Amino acid sequence: MLLHRMKLRGGKPLHGTVRSSGAKNAALPLLAACLMQQGHYELDNVPNLTDVMTMIRMLNSLGIRAEYHENNKVKIWNKGRVKHIAPYELVTAMRASFFVAGPILAMTGYAKVPLPGGCAIGSRPLDLHFQGFKKLGATITIEHGFVEMKAKKLVGDRIYLDFPSVGATENIMMAAALAEGETLIENAAQEPEIVDLGEFLISGGAKIEGLGSSTIRIMGVKTLMGQNYSVIPDRIEVGTLMIAGAITKGDVTVEGVVPDHIEPLIRKMKEAGVHLTIQENSIRVIGPDRIQAVDIETLPFPGFPTDMQAQMMSLLTFAEGTSIVKETIFENRFMHAHELMRMGAKIKLDRNHAILTGVTELSGAEVKITDLRAGAALVLAGLAAKGETEVYGLEHLWRGYDRITQKLQLLGAEIIE
Ligand code: EPZ
Protein backbone atom coordinates (compact mmCIF):
# COMPACT_ATOMS: atom_id res chain seq x y z
CA MET A 1 0.00 0.00 0.00
CA LEU A 2 1.74 3.18 -1.12
CA LEU A 3 0.49 5.62 1.48
CA HIS A 4 2.20 8.93 1.24
CA ARG A 5 2.73 10.89 -1.95
CA MET A 6 3.72 14.33 -3.11
CA LYS A 7 3.47 16.31 -6.33
CA LEU A 8 6.51 18.10 -7.77
CA ARG A 9 6.37 20.77 -10.46
CA GLY A 10 9.68 20.48 -12.32
CA GLY A 11 11.87 22.79 -14.36
CA LYS A 12 12.68 25.42 -11.75
CA PRO A 13 16.39 25.95 -10.91
CA LEU A 14 17.03 25.62 -7.15
CA HIS A 15 18.83 28.45 -5.38
CA GLY A 16 20.02 29.03 -1.84
CA THR A 17 21.75 27.43 1.09
CA VAL A 18 20.74 24.28 2.95
CA ARG A 19 22.29 22.44 5.89
CA SER A 20 22.68 18.65 6.03
CA SER A 21 21.53 16.55 8.97
CA GLY A 22 23.45 13.89 10.89
CA ALA A 23 24.30 10.64 9.10
CA LYS A 24 21.63 7.91 9.24
CA ASN A 25 24.25 5.21 8.67
CA ALA A 26 26.35 6.50 11.55
CA ALA A 27 23.47 7.20 13.95
CA LEU A 28 22.04 3.67 13.69
CA PRO A 29 25.20 1.75 14.74
CA LEU A 30 26.00 4.48 17.29
CA LEU A 31 22.60 3.94 18.91
CA ALA A 32 23.21 0.18 18.94
CA ALA A 33 26.55 0.82 20.67
CA CYS A 34 24.63 2.66 23.45
CA LEU A 35 23.69 -0.84 24.64
CA MET A 36 27.36 -1.25 25.60
CA GLN A 37 28.22 2.24 26.83
CA GLN A 38 27.01 2.58 30.44
CA GLY A 39 26.01 5.77 32.26
CA HIS A 40 23.95 8.84 31.36
CA TYR A 41 25.00 10.74 28.25
CA GLU A 42 23.61 12.11 25.01
CA LEU A 43 24.13 11.88 21.27
CA ASP A 44 23.88 15.09 19.26
CA ASN A 45 23.12 15.80 15.57
CA VAL A 46 20.94 12.67 15.40
CA PRO A 47 18.67 12.91 12.32
CA ASN A 48 14.91 12.80 12.84
CA LEU A 49 14.18 9.65 10.78
CA THR A 50 11.75 6.76 11.09
CA ASP A 51 14.72 4.36 11.15
CA VAL A 52 16.24 6.27 14.08
CA MET A 53 12.93 6.11 15.98
CA THR A 54 12.78 2.36 15.32
CA MET A 55 16.27 1.92 16.78
CA ILE A 56 15.31 4.04 19.82
CA ARG A 57 12.29 1.79 20.40
CA MET A 58 14.67 -1.17 20.09
CA LEU A 59 16.96 0.22 22.83
CA ASN A 60 14.02 0.81 25.18
CA SER A 61 12.76 -2.74 24.53
CA LEU A 62 16.22 -4.08 25.47
CA GLY A 63 16.33 -2.29 28.83
CA ILE A 64 18.18 0.92 27.96
CA ARG A 65 16.30 4.19 28.40
CA ALA A 66 16.62 6.28 25.24
CA GLU A 67 14.72 9.49 24.52
CA TYR A 68 14.68 11.56 21.32
CA HIS A 69 14.56 15.32 21.96
CA GLU A 70 13.51 17.88 19.39
CA ASN A 71 16.95 19.49 18.97
CA ASN A 72 18.30 16.29 17.35
CA LYS A 73 19.54 14.99 20.71
CA VAL A 74 19.11 11.47 22.09
CA LYS A 75 19.47 11.12 25.84
CA ILE A 76 20.68 7.72 27.11
CA TRP A 77 20.48 6.11 30.53
CA ASN A 78 22.32 2.75 30.56
CA LYS A 79 22.57 0.91 33.90
CA GLY A 80 24.53 -1.98 32.39
CA ARG A 81 21.63 -4.45 32.25
CA VAL A 82 20.61 -5.48 28.72
CA LYS A 83 17.90 -7.96 27.76
CA HIS A 84 18.75 -10.86 25.44
CA ILE A 85 15.93 -10.97 22.92
CA ALA A 86 15.32 -8.35 20.22
CA PRO A 87 11.63 -8.05 19.29
CA TYR A 88 10.62 -9.44 15.90
CA GLU A 89 8.46 -6.51 14.84
CA LEU A 90 11.32 -4.05 15.23
CA VAL A 91 13.93 -6.13 13.42
CA THR A 92 11.62 -6.70 10.47
CA ALA A 93 10.79 -2.97 10.42
CA MET A 94 14.44 -2.17 9.91
CA ARG A 95 17.20 -4.62 9.04
CA ALA A 96 19.83 -2.35 10.62
CA SER A 97 18.34 -3.45 13.96
CA PHE A 98 20.64 -6.44 13.54
CA PHE A 99 23.40 -4.11 14.74
CA VAL A 100 22.16 -4.90 18.28
CA ALA A 101 23.41 -8.51 17.97
CA GLY A 102 27.07 -7.72 18.69
CA PRO A 103 26.36 -5.44 21.66
CA ILE A 104 23.87 -7.86 23.30
CA LEU A 105 26.34 -10.75 22.86
CA ALA A 106 29.17 -8.66 24.33
CA MET A 107 27.08 -7.44 27.28
CA THR A 108 25.28 -10.68 28.23
CA GLY A 109 26.88 -13.68 26.48
CA TYR A 110 23.54 -14.66 24.95
CA ALA A 111 21.67 -12.90 22.12
CA LYS A 112 18.50 -13.98 20.35
CA VAL A 113 17.75 -11.76 17.35
CA PRO A 114 15.22 -12.35 14.57
CA LEU A 115 16.78 -12.76 11.16
CA PRO A 116 16.01 -9.61 9.16
CA GLY A 117 14.57 -10.45 5.78
CA GLY A 118 16.09 -9.29 2.53
CA CYS A 119 14.98 -6.02 1.06
CA ALA A 120 14.26 -4.50 -2.33
CA ILE A 121 17.91 -4.04 -3.25
CA GLY A 122 19.17 -7.50 -2.36
CA SER A 123 19.11 -10.62 -0.20
CA ARG A 124 21.38 -8.93 2.37
CA PRO A 125 22.96 -12.09 3.91
CA LEU A 126 24.65 -11.94 7.34
CA ASP A 127 27.23 -14.73 6.92
CA LEU A 128 30.17 -12.38 7.51
CA HIS A 129 28.64 -11.19 10.79
CA PHE A 130 28.21 -14.83 11.94
CA GLN A 131 31.74 -15.83 10.87
CA GLY A 132 33.12 -12.95 12.94
CA PHE A 133 31.09 -13.79 16.04
CA LYS A 134 32.14 -17.47 15.76
CA LYS A 135 35.80 -16.46 15.63
CA LEU A 136 35.23 -14.53 18.86
CA GLY A 137 33.96 -17.72 20.49
CA ALA A 138 30.19 -17.60 19.99
CA THR A 139 28.14 -20.65 19.06
CA ILE A 140 25.42 -19.78 16.59
CA THR A 141 22.15 -21.59 15.88
CA ILE A 142 19.58 -20.44 13.37
CA GLU A 143 16.04 -21.77 13.70
CA HIS A 144 12.45 -20.55 13.54
CA GLY A 145 13.65 -17.33 11.91
CA PHE A 146 15.84 -16.38 14.85
CA VAL A 147 19.59 -16.46 15.27
CA GLU A 148 20.77 -17.47 18.76
CA MET A 149 24.32 -16.63 19.76
CA LYS A 150 25.97 -17.88 22.95
CA ALA A 151 29.44 -17.25 24.36
CA LYS A 152 30.57 -17.80 27.95
CA LYS A 153 33.32 -15.38 27.14
CA LEU A 154 34.27 -13.55 23.95
CA VAL A 155 37.97 -13.92 23.17
CA GLY A 156 39.73 -11.76 20.58
CA ASP A 157 40.98 -13.36 17.37
CA ARG A 158 42.11 -12.57 13.83
CA ILE A 159 39.08 -12.11 11.52
CA TYR A 160 39.33 -11.76 7.75
CA LEU A 161 36.24 -10.43 5.97
CA ASP A 162 35.79 -11.93 2.49
CA PHE A 163 34.06 -8.66 1.60
CA PRO A 164 34.56 -5.29 3.40
CA SER A 165 31.01 -5.37 4.75
CA VAL A 166 30.01 -2.18 6.59
CA GLY A 167 27.55 -3.92 8.91
CA ALA A 168 29.78 -6.90 9.63
CA THR A 169 32.74 -4.62 10.43
CA GLU A 170 30.56 -2.60 12.82
CA ASN A 171 28.92 -5.58 14.53
CA ILE A 172 32.22 -7.41 15.02
CA MET A 173 34.03 -4.25 16.19
CA MET A 174 31.37 -3.69 18.85
CA ALA A 175 31.54 -7.29 20.11
CA ALA A 176 35.37 -7.24 20.09
CA ALA A 177 35.46 -4.00 22.15
CA LEU A 178 34.41 -6.01 25.23
CA ALA A 179 36.13 -9.29 24.30
CA GLU A 180 39.17 -10.56 26.17
CA GLY A 181 42.43 -9.84 24.36
CA GLU A 182 43.12 -8.48 20.92
CA THR A 183 41.03 -8.72 17.76
CA LEU A 184 42.23 -7.92 14.26
CA ILE A 185 39.61 -7.26 11.59
CA GLU A 186 41.28 -7.59 8.19
CA ASN A 187 39.74 -6.38 4.93
CA ALA A 188 37.54 -4.20 7.15
CA ALA A 189 35.20 -1.59 5.69
CA GLN A 190 36.65 1.95 5.70
CA GLU A 191 33.49 4.07 5.46
CA PRO A 192 33.38 7.31 7.53
CA GLU A 193 30.50 5.79 9.51
CA ILE A 194 32.84 3.01 10.71
CA VAL A 195 35.28 5.67 11.93
CA ASP A 196 32.45 7.54 13.69
CA LEU A 197 31.33 4.37 15.50
CA GLY A 198 34.91 3.54 16.48
CA GLU A 199 35.54 7.07 17.79
CA PHE A 200 32.34 6.86 19.86
CA LEU A 201 33.51 3.57 21.41
CA ILE A 202 36.98 5.04 22.05
CA SER A 203 35.33 8.03 23.80
CA GLY A 204 33.78 5.45 26.16
CA GLY A 205 37.12 3.78 26.90
CA ALA A 206 37.50 1.29 24.05
CA LYS A 207 40.95 0.67 22.65
CA ILE A 208 40.78 0.70 18.83
CA GLU A 209 43.38 1.49 16.17
CA GLY A 210 43.30 1.57 12.37
CA LEU A 211 39.84 3.11 11.92
CA GLY A 212 39.36 4.09 8.29
CA SER A 213 41.96 1.58 7.12
CA SER A 214 41.45 -2.02 6.00
CA THR A 215 42.88 -3.42 9.25
CA ILE A 216 41.25 -2.51 12.56
CA ARG A 217 42.92 -3.60 15.81
CA ILE A 218 40.75 -3.79 18.93
CA MET A 219 42.11 -4.48 22.44
CA GLY A 220 39.13 -5.59 24.57
CA VAL A 221 38.29 -3.78 27.82
CA LYS A 222 35.95 -4.69 30.69
CA THR A 223 33.44 -1.86 30.60
CA LEU A 224 32.61 1.19 28.54
CA MET A 225 31.25 4.42 30.00
CA GLY A 226 29.39 6.51 27.42
CA GLN A 227 30.29 10.15 26.82
CA ASN A 228 28.40 12.86 24.95
CA TYR A 229 29.03 12.47 21.23
CA SER A 230 28.02 14.20 17.99
CA VAL A 231 27.12 12.28 14.81
CA ILE A 232 28.98 13.11 11.58
CA PRO A 233 27.09 14.84 8.72
CA ASP A 234 25.20 12.60 6.32
CA ARG A 235 27.45 12.38 3.24
CA ILE A 236 24.66 10.73 1.22
CA GLU A 237 22.15 13.46 2.02
CA VAL A 238 24.86 16.03 1.14
CA GLY A 239 25.44 14.29 -2.20
CA THR A 240 21.70 14.15 -2.86
CA LEU A 241 21.30 17.88 -2.21
CA MET A 242 24.32 18.62 -4.42
CA ILE A 243 22.72 16.71 -7.28
CA ALA A 244 19.46 18.64 -6.69
CA GLY A 245 21.40 21.84 -7.44
CA ALA A 246 23.14 20.34 -10.48
CA ILE A 247 20.12 18.61 -12.06
CA THR A 248 17.98 21.78 -11.91
CA LYS A 249 20.82 23.94 -13.31
CA GLY A 250 20.63 25.92 -10.11
CA ASP A 251 23.06 27.43 -7.62
CA VAL A 252 22.93 25.61 -4.29
CA THR A 253 25.27 25.72 -1.31
CA VAL A 254 25.21 22.74 1.04
CA GLU A 255 26.52 23.37 4.57
CA GLY A 256 27.51 20.76 7.16
CA VAL A 257 29.81 18.91 4.77
CA VAL A 258 33.02 16.91 5.27
CA PRO A 259 34.43 17.11 1.72
CA ASP A 260 36.78 14.16 2.32
CA HIS A 261 33.72 11.95 2.89
CA ILE A 262 32.45 12.54 -0.65
CA GLU A 263 35.68 12.81 -2.66
CA PRO A 264 34.63 10.29 -5.37
CA LEU A 265 31.29 12.11 -5.87
CA ILE A 266 33.07 15.47 -6.10
CA ARG A 267 35.46 14.07 -8.72
CA LYS A 268 32.64 12.57 -10.82
CA MET A 269 30.45 15.70 -10.66
CA LYS A 270 33.39 17.84 -11.75
CA GLU A 271 34.11 15.37 -14.59
CA ALA A 272 30.45 15.77 -15.62
CA GLY A 273 30.94 19.53 -15.86
CA VAL A 274 29.26 20.64 -12.63
CA HIS A 275 30.91 23.75 -11.11
CA LEU A 276 31.85 23.07 -7.47
CA THR A 277 33.34 25.49 -4.97
CA ILE A 278 34.62 23.55 -1.99
CA GLN A 279 35.09 25.23 1.40
CA GLU A 280 36.09 23.57 4.67
CA ASN A 281 32.51 22.62 5.66
CA SER A 282 30.40 23.57 2.66
CA ILE A 283 30.15 23.03 -1.09
CA ARG A 284 28.59 25.38 -3.64
CA VAL A 285 27.09 23.66 -6.68
CA ILE A 286 26.28 25.43 -9.95
CA GLY A 287 24.60 23.24 -12.54
CA PRO A 288 25.79 23.71 -16.16
CA ASP A 289 23.44 23.97 -19.13
CA ARG A 290 24.35 20.46 -20.20
CA ILE A 291 25.86 17.67 -18.09
CA GLN A 292 28.62 15.66 -19.76
CA ALA A 293 28.41 11.83 -19.75
CA VAL A 294 30.63 10.01 -17.23
CA ASP A 295 31.06 6.36 -16.21
CA ILE A 296 30.36 5.29 -12.62
CA GLU A 297 31.37 2.12 -10.79
CA THR A 298 30.15 1.68 -7.22
CA LEU A 299 32.80 0.36 -4.82
CA PRO A 300 33.42 0.12 -1.07
CA PHE A 301 34.81 3.35 0.43
CA PRO A 302 36.87 5.19 -0.73
CA GLY A 303 35.24 4.27 -4.07
CA PHE A 304 32.03 5.76 -5.45
CA PRO A 305 29.27 5.03 -2.89
CA THR A 306 26.49 2.65 -3.91
CA ASP A 307 24.09 4.85 -1.92
CA MET A 308 24.67 7.64 -4.46
CA GLN A 309 24.27 5.46 -7.57
CA ALA A 310 20.55 6.06 -8.09
CA GLN A 311 20.80 9.82 -7.59
CA MET A 312 23.76 10.04 -10.00
CA MET A 313 21.79 8.04 -12.56
CA SER A 314 19.03 10.66 -12.48
CA LEU A 315 21.61 13.36 -13.21
CA LEU A 316 23.20 11.35 -16.01
CA THR A 317 19.88 10.83 -17.80
CA PHE A 318 20.39 14.43 -19.01
CA ALA A 319 24.07 14.01 -19.96
CA GLU A 320 25.39 14.67 -23.46
CA GLY A 321 26.64 11.31 -24.67
CA THR A 322 26.52 7.81 -23.19
CA SER A 323 27.19 7.01 -19.53
CA ILE A 324 27.77 3.56 -18.08
CA VAL A 325 26.79 2.86 -14.46
CA LYS A 326 28.14 -0.34 -12.90
CA GLU A 327 26.65 -1.45 -9.56
CA THR A 328 29.05 -3.85 -7.83
CA ILE A 329 27.73 -3.83 -4.24
CA PHE A 330 24.09 -4.91 -4.39
CA GLU A 331 22.47 -7.34 -6.81
CA ASN A 332 19.23 -5.47 -7.46
CA ARG A 333 19.78 -1.76 -7.21
CA PHE A 334 18.50 -0.49 -10.57
CA MET A 335 14.77 -0.36 -9.84
CA HIS A 336 14.75 3.42 -10.14
CA ALA A 337 15.83 2.96 -13.79
CA HIS A 338 12.42 1.53 -14.73
CA GLU A 339 10.63 4.56 -13.30
CA LEU A 340 13.11 6.96 -14.92
CA MET A 341 12.39 5.29 -18.27
CA ARG A 342 8.69 6.05 -17.73
CA MET A 343 9.72 9.71 -17.52
CA GLY A 344 11.54 9.46 -20.85
CA ALA A 345 15.06 8.42 -19.80
CA LYS A 346 16.92 6.25 -22.29
CA ILE A 347 18.44 3.44 -20.22
CA LYS A 348 19.46 -0.08 -21.21
CA LEU A 349 19.97 -2.54 -18.34
CA ASP A 350 22.38 -5.46 -18.69
CA ARG A 351 22.85 -7.39 -15.42
CA ASN A 352 24.78 -4.98 -13.14
CA HIS A 353 25.35 -2.41 -15.86
CA ALA A 354 23.07 0.46 -16.88
CA ILE A 355 23.84 2.21 -20.18
CA LEU A 356 22.36 5.69 -20.36
CA THR A 357 21.91 7.67 -23.58
CA GLY A 358 21.42 11.28 -22.57
CA VAL A 359 18.18 13.14 -23.32
CA THR A 360 17.50 16.87 -23.08
CA GLU A 361 14.18 16.49 -21.32
CA LEU A 362 12.24 14.22 -18.97
CA SER A 363 8.49 14.46 -18.70
CA GLY A 364 6.74 14.45 -15.35
CA ALA A 365 4.85 11.25 -14.53
CA GLU A 366 3.33 9.29 -11.66
CA VAL A 367 6.21 7.25 -10.21
CA LYS A 368 6.55 4.69 -7.42
CA ILE A 369 9.34 4.54 -4.84
CA THR A 370 10.69 1.03 -4.21
CA ASP A 371 13.60 1.78 -1.86
CA LEU A 372 15.15 4.73 -0.09
CA ARG A 373 17.76 5.89 -2.60
CA ALA A 374 15.56 5.08 -5.60
CA GLY A 375 13.09 7.47 -4.00
CA ALA A 376 15.70 10.20 -3.82
CA ALA A 377 16.54 9.62 -7.47
CA LEU A 378 12.90 10.00 -8.53
CA VAL A 379 12.44 13.21 -6.56
CA LEU A 380 15.57 14.62 -8.23
CA ALA A 381 14.26 13.62 -11.65
CA GLY A 382 10.89 15.20 -10.84
CA LEU A 383 12.59 18.48 -9.91
CA ALA A 384 14.13 18.64 -13.39
CA ALA A 385 11.35 17.10 -15.47
CA LYS A 386 8.89 19.11 -17.56
CA GLY A 387 5.48 19.29 -15.92
CA GLU A 388 4.27 17.54 -12.80
CA THR A 389 5.61 14.36 -11.16
CA GLU A 390 3.60 12.57 -8.51
CA VAL A 391 5.83 10.44 -6.27
CA TYR A 392 4.15 7.58 -4.39
CA GLY A 393 5.64 5.70 -1.42
CA LEU A 394 7.22 8.60 0.46
CA GLU A 395 7.48 6.46 3.59
CA HIS A 396 10.63 4.97 2.03
CA LEU A 397 12.10 8.47 1.75
CA TRP A 398 11.38 9.41 5.34
CA ARG A 399 13.50 6.46 6.51
CA GLY A 400 16.65 8.22 5.40
CA TYR A 401 16.07 11.91 4.72
CA ASP A 402 15.32 14.31 7.57
CA ARG A 403 12.78 16.97 6.47
CA ILE A 404 13.81 16.57 2.83
CA THR A 405 10.63 18.21 1.52
CA GLN A 406 11.17 21.33 3.63
CA LYS A 407 14.85 21.49 2.61
CA LEU A 408 13.98 21.33 -1.08
CA GLN A 409 11.16 23.90 -0.68
CA LEU A 410 13.68 26.16 1.09
CA LEU A 411 15.71 26.00 -2.14
CA GLY A 412 12.66 26.96 -4.20
CA ALA A 413 11.37 23.54 -5.24
CA GLU A 414 7.67 23.58 -6.10
CA ILE A 415 6.29 20.72 -4.00
CA ILE A 416 2.60 20.25 -3.31
CA GLU A 417 2.29 17.71 -0.49
C1 EPZ B 1 25.33 -0.48 4.92
O1 EPZ B 1 24.52 -1.63 4.71
C2 EPZ B 1 24.38 0.70 4.75
N1 EPZ B 1 23.32 0.65 5.75
C3 EPZ B 1 23.80 0.69 3.34
O2 EPZ B 1 22.99 1.87 3.21
C4 EPZ B 1 24.94 0.77 2.34
O3 EPZ B 1 24.42 0.70 1.04
C5 EPZ B 1 25.91 -0.41 2.57
O4 EPZ B 1 26.37 -0.38 3.95
C6 EPZ B 1 27.12 -0.36 1.65
O5 EPZ B 1 27.78 0.85 1.82
C7 EPZ B 1 23.59 1.04 7.02
O6 EPZ B 1 24.70 1.41 7.36
C8 EPZ B 1 22.43 1.01 7.98
P1 EPZ B 1 27.28 -4.31 3.59
P2 EPZ B 1 25.14 -3.11 5.02
O7 EPZ B 1 27.26 -5.29 4.68
O8 EPZ B 1 25.97 -3.05 6.24
C9 EPZ B 1 27.09 -8.34 1.17
C10 EPZ B 1 21.11 3.12 2.59
O9 EPZ B 1 20.54 3.34 1.51
N2 EPZ B 1 27.17 -8.98 2.49
O10 EPZ B 1 28.50 -3.48 3.35
O11 EPZ B 1 24.03 -4.09 4.97
C11 EPZ B 1 25.73 -7.68 0.97
O12 EPZ B 1 24.80 -8.63 0.48
C12 EPZ B 1 21.59 1.71 2.93
O13 EPZ B 1 21.34 4.00 3.47
C13 EPZ B 1 27.34 -10.37 2.55
O14 EPZ B 1 27.42 -11.04 1.52
O15 EPZ B 1 26.05 -3.29 3.74
C14 EPZ B 1 26.01 -6.61 -0.04
O16 EPZ B 1 25.98 -7.17 -1.33
C15 EPZ B 1 21.30 0.73 1.81
N3 EPZ B 1 27.40 -10.96 3.77
C16 EPZ B 1 27.45 -6.18 0.29
O17 EPZ B 1 28.00 -7.23 1.11
C17 EPZ B 1 27.32 -10.25 4.93
O18 EPZ B 1 27.40 -10.86 6.02
C18 EPZ B 1 27.53 -4.88 1.06
O19 EPZ B 1 26.84 -5.07 2.25
C19 EPZ B 1 27.15 -8.85 4.86
C20 EPZ B 1 27.09 -8.24 3.62
Side-chain angles (χ1 to χ4, degrees), residues 24-25 124-128 165-167 307 329-330 373:
K24 165 179 88 83
N25 291 348
R124 312 294 290 274
L126 296 164
D127 51 313
L128 299 174
S165 153
V166 170
D307 292 350
I329 307 293
F330 288 107
R373 306 302 174 184

Side-chain angles (χ1 to χ4, degrees), residues 24-25 28 95-96 99 121 123-129 163-168 170 191 235 306-307 329-331 333 372-373:
K24 165 179 88 83
N25 291 348
L28 294 176
R95 50 176 299 96
F99 283 144
I121 63 176
S123 61
R124 312 294 290 274
L126 296 164
D127 51 313
L128 299 174
H129 299 240
F163 180 85
S165 153
V166 170
E170 290 168 337
E191 275 71 2
R235 60 192 169 103
T306 175
D307 292 350
I329 307 293
F330 288 107
E331 64 264 32
R333 205 170 197 177
L372 169 58
R373 306 302 174 184

Side-chain angles (χ1 to χ4, degrees), residues 39-90:
H40 173 42
Y41 51 94
E42 59 187 50
L43 300 184
D44 195 7
N45 199 33
V46 181
N48 184 345
L49 303 172
T50 47
D51 275 5
V52 165
M53 301 310 161
T54 302
M55 187 58 93
I56 286 172
R57 281 169 47 215
M58 174 68 81
L59 295 187
N60 285 293
S61 75
L62 289 169
I64 303 303
R65 190 169 146 213
E67 285 174 1
Y68 191 87
H69 289 254
E70 263 327 295
N71 47 359
N72 297 106
K73 282 189 191 322
V74 175
K75 294 187 190 293
I76 300 283
W77 291 263
N78 178 334
K79 293 191 168 59
R81 285 185 303 283
V82 173
K83 291 180 186 160
H84 303 287
I85 302 178
Y88 174 77
E89 68 281 0
L90 292 177

Side-chain angles (χ1 to χ4, degrees), residues 40 88 100 112 117 206 278 323 358 378 402 404:
H40 173 42
Y88 174 77
V100 302
K112 186 173 178 182
I278 295 148
S323 306
L378 295 173
D402 186 349
I404 188 67

Side-chain angles (χ1 to χ4, degrees), residues 105 127 129-140 155 157:
L105 183 64
D127 51 313
H129 299 240
F130 299 152
Q131 282 164 23
F133 292 143
K134 277 184 193 150
K135 289 285 280 190
L136 295 176
T139 53
I140 296 189
V155 179
D157 201 338

Side-chain angles (χ1 to χ4, degrees), residues 170-235:
E170 290 168 337
N171 235 335
I172 295 164
M173 180 165 72
M174 288 190 280
L178 292 179
E180 186 181 278
E182 183 176 283
T183 297
L184 262 186
I185 306 176
E186 295 178 313
N187 196 28
Q190 304 176 46
E191 275 71 2
E193 293 76 23
I194 308 271
V195 178
D196 212 25
L197 173 63
E199 294 295 350
F200 176 54
L201 292 168
I202 289 168
S203 75
K207 292 186 175 18
I208 303 173
E209 295 165 0
L211 291 167
S213 80
S214 59
T215 302
I216 299 176
R217 184 189 300 272
I218 303 124
M219 279 64 78
V221 295
K222 285 254 177 291
T223 49
L224 294 169
M225 296 306 291
Q227 306 299 319
N228 293 349
Y229 193 82
S230 191
V231 180
I232 53 170
D234 192 318
R235 60 192 169 103

